[in-house]
Amino acid sequence: MTDSDNVPSGVPDERRQAWGENYRPRYSGVATFMRQPLCEKETAWSEIDIGLIGVPFDGGVTNRPGARHGPRQLREQSTLMGMVNHQSGVRPYDLAKVADLGDVPIEGVYQLDNAIADIESHYDRVMAAAVMPISAGGDHSITLPILKALARKHGCPLGLVHFDAHCDTGPELFGHKHHHGGPFRVAVEEKALDPQRTIQIGIRGPAEPLWGFSYESGMTVVHIEELYAMGISGVIKKAREVAGGGPVYVSFDVDGLDPVFAPGTGTPEVGGFNTYEAQQMLRGLAGLDIVAGDVVEVSPPFDPMGTTALNGAQMMFEILCLIAQNLDRKRG
Ligand code: MN
Ligand code: MN
């Protein structure tokens, strides 16, 4: 019996066709990212264009933990996402084969270096199958191994559009470089990230003295007050100028949002952008060669209402639309 056999009679054909296998109540069934089919078998990945991947790891947090629970809660809240982006008109599932590839198996949960290596080798396999990944963290330390695998595949350091309250280019902390306040420094040092093609948007707060590497390496830093001075269209223009001209990664740390919209995160900073502004900035990136992205730092233990995960899932959907659109554009 197939799913379509379960569709009740009397359902208008166009509705049935538009939803396909998802023609069932949103609250039913096993929660996968965006209600897409679960495809954990690596041998089947070659049939997938865009893979939604959970990275349940928060061994790199500097303060409040819990982001290891992010993928599950993002899956749950992502069942609220629909089939179409009303503003851009993009229907990602018409443009690309999308699946939930499950979670990265992390053996080294008690060893930071081993965990980072586990993530990197997993994304090497994702890259070998030519899947474009959208990852759900996890804390921001997970982005480094993902960027390294991507840079290896693409044969060059990537450009980056990075939404965050923090630049995450800090030095070693307590004798260790793999923490969530430093992935983009290490990514530059290890030639996975092109600092000249990196823009960091929404930066604020008392960690500013740690971000010298961003300025020294040539990254473009847009503090929150500069964002409001430039306006959303100004930020979009700047991001396109800086990150364009090669493959681009979009990294969305939910603490870039004001804590009103994302209280459930490890290191909240008051005075951030709102969800509508985030959507407008993301939608404004259409046309760039966006090859992958992530949403990180959703910490369900600090998110009792699920607000942060809902907003994070929406940003995953926005990134999905961008990547599907890019794939469609490249196919001609
Ligand atoms: Mn971050
Ligand atoms: Mn942050």
Side-chain angles (χ1 to χ4, degrees), residues 21-53:
E21 291 184 4
N22 277 340
Y23 196 86
R24 62 168 80 163
R26 290 185 172 277
Y27 48 81
S28 69
V30 176
T32 58
F33 286 120
M34 315 288 167
R35 305 202 303 152
Q36 294 305 294
L38 183 64
C39 182
E40 291 181 296
K41 262 212 187 90
E42 286 183 33
T43 49
W45 288 354
S46 55
E47 289 160 35
I48 307 299
D49 297 318
I50 301 174
L52 308 170
I53 304 172

Side-chain angles (χ1 to χ4, degrees), residues 140 162 164 166 168 180 253 255 296-297:
H140 224 155
H162 170 204
D164 205 320
H166 315 97
D168 294 349
H180 73 161
D253 182 332
D255 72 28
V296 297
E297 300 284 354

Side-chain angles (χ1 to χ4, degrees), residues 99-275:
D100 182 332
L101 301 196
D103 285 348
V104 176
I106 298 171
E107 287 261 337
V109 285
Y110 303 117
Q111 287 286 345
L112 202 43
D113 288 338
N114 294 356
I116 297 291
D118 287 344
I119 297 168
E120 189 172 335
S121 62
H122 188 81
Y123 279 83
D124 277 337
R125 296 193 292 277
V126 171
M127 288 299 107
V131 173
M132 301 167 95
I134 303 174
S135 307
D139 73 53
H140 224 155
S141 68
I142 68 159
T143 305
L144 170 70
I146 297 171
L147 280 173
K148 285 174 71 178
L150 281 160
R152 205 153 33 239
K153 168 77 174 180
H154 288 275
C156 64
L158 269 77
L160 175 69
V161 182
H162 170 204
F163 299 92
D164 205 320
H166 315 97
C167 288
D168 294 349
T169 48
E172 283 191 3
L173 183 62
F174 306 126
H176 216 291
K177 65 177 177 180
H178 291 314
H179 56 81
H180 73 161
F184 301 114
R185 171 196 287 253
V186 183
V188 170
E189 289 169 350
E190 302 200 5
K191 308 270 186 287
L193 181 63
D194 181 351
Q196 304 291 333
R197 291 182 52 230
T198 293
I199 184 165
Q200 307 186 290
I201 300 167
I203 308 305
R204 59 192 185 273
E208 181 69 28
L210 295 173
W211 310 143
F213 183 86
S214 287
Y215 306 106
E216 291 154 21
S217 64
M219 295 180 183
T220 300
V221 179
V222 181
H223 295 91
I224 191 70
E225 65 277 12
E226 294 165 324
L227 183 159
Y228 283 105
M230 294 161 82
I232 296 299
S233 58
V235 174
I236 291 169
K237 187 165 174 281
K238 191 76 186 167
R240 300 178 70 89
E241 280 169 17
V242 170
V248 178
Y249 191 89
V250 176
S251 190
F252 194 99
D253 182 332
V254 291
D255 72 28
L257 292 164
D258 191 89
V260 164
F261 303 94
T265 195
T267 47
E269 297 288 353
V270 167
F273 48 80
N274 69 29
T275 43

